[in-house]
Amino acid sequence: MANAPLLTIRKDWPRPKADLLAKFAGYPLGWICDSNGRQGALDATVRPIACAKPFVGSALTCSSGAADNLGMHVALKYAKPGDVIIVAGERCTSCALTGDHMVGMAKNAGVAAVVTDAAVRDRAGLVGIGLPVYGGGINPNGPWKSGPGSVGLPISIGGKIVEPGDIVVGDEDNVVIIARADAELVIEALAETKAKEEAMDDDIVGGGITYSPLVDDALDSMEVRWIE
């Protein structure tokens, strides 16, 4: 029986068009999650590391074995402008999966952001590059480059399954994944979410409310045990 290959690579896949990606720009991540069935964010094991400015892009998925980054190196070869390199690194924080050299290459390729569940390093250099980077922590130990790894296949990261070509949105809060097939539905729902959130903002800033109206609805409709 032949050994399993160390690398599995899909070189290309359908990507969302730029005009669709642009429709998500400028919205707070909370609004996007609420419009996406109150879900979509990666869990808090993935967090902003450097330059967490807002971005929108298309998922270039890859995976690397623990303490290894060959999969991400290969992903850089196939990156296209507007991609977000999103790396499942087995949540390894005993060493860095990437640092300023690889992130600098990603910026040269027009990548919008780099996201991983593993640790990264060279934070000062990452800040200087200016590309948004998210990870599972910081560790200056270096990784191996031996495999296994994959590019362009579904991955599991931060409690989410991410497909190549899914929409990735990020800011200082974290990163949200929107399935490409659901994008138009989420855009439609965002209009309603925006109206509700802005109305609530106006009421709060104007001093008109001290608690949410849903509290009275709950008290009127639910069985409540009152204790004097």
Side-chain angles (χ1 to χ4, degrees):
M1 182 175 176
N3 292 330
L6 283 175
L7 291 171
T8 305
I9 301 170
R10 181 183 179 191
K11 296 190 290 185
D12 205 4
W13 50 86
R15 288 169 166 84
K17 294 182 178 180
D19 59 345
L20 177 59
L21 294 176
K23 292 179 181 179
F24 289 94
Y27 286 106
L29 293 192
W31 295 12
I32 294 174
C33 290
D34 287 353
S35 303
N36 189 40
R38 299 185 182 276
Q39 58 87 35
L42 301 185
D43 66 29
T45 61
V46 178
R47 52 193 181 274
I49 300 294
C51 306
K53 58 190 177 185
F55 71 86
V56 183
S58 171
L60 191 174
T61 55
C62 59
S63 69
S64 288
D68 194 279
N69 68 359
L70 183 61
M72 181 175 172
H73 273 286
V74 176
L76 286 166
K77 177 179 174 66
Y78 300 104
K80 296 184 178 182
D83 281 348
V84 175
I85 295 180
I86 182 163
V87 193
E90 299 188 12
R91 295 192 177 190
C92 178
T93 56
S94 62
C95 71
L97 182 139
T98 190
D100 56 1
H101 286 170
M102 294 178 75
V103 172
M105 295 176 198
K107 183 177 181 180
N108 291 344
V111 166
V114 173
V115 181
T116 181
D117 58 359
V120 304
R121 67 180 182 181
D122 308 323
R123 188 177 183 279
L126 297 176
V127 170
I129 291 166
L131 199 68
V133 177
Y134 299 75
I138 299 174
N139 191 320
N141 288 335
W144 301 100
K145 298 167 176 59
S146 305
S150 70
V151 176
L153 301 179
I155 61 171
S156 175
I157 180 172
K160 300 293 295 180
I161 300 298
V162 185
E163 302 270 354
D166 282 349
I167 295 167
V168 188
V169 189
D171 63 17
E172 62 185 358
D173 278 354
N174 210 333
V175 175
V176 171
I177 309 298
I178 301 141
R180 191 162 56 95
D182 296 337
E184 292 292 355
L185 293 175
V186 176
I187 289 294
E188 291 178 10
L190 265 170
E192 182 179 350
T193 300
K194 180 176 184 291
K196 288 181 179 178
E197 291 289 334
E198 289 181 343
M200 181 67 76
D201 288 345
D202 289 344
D203 285 344
I204 293 170
V205 172
I209 62 172
T210 58
Y211 63 89
S212 173
L214 68 82
V215 174
D216 289 334
D217 293 339
L219 294 177
D220 290 341
S221 62
M222 296 181 181
E223 183 176 346
V224 179
R225 181 187 179 197
W226 299 96
I227 299 176
E228 298 296 335

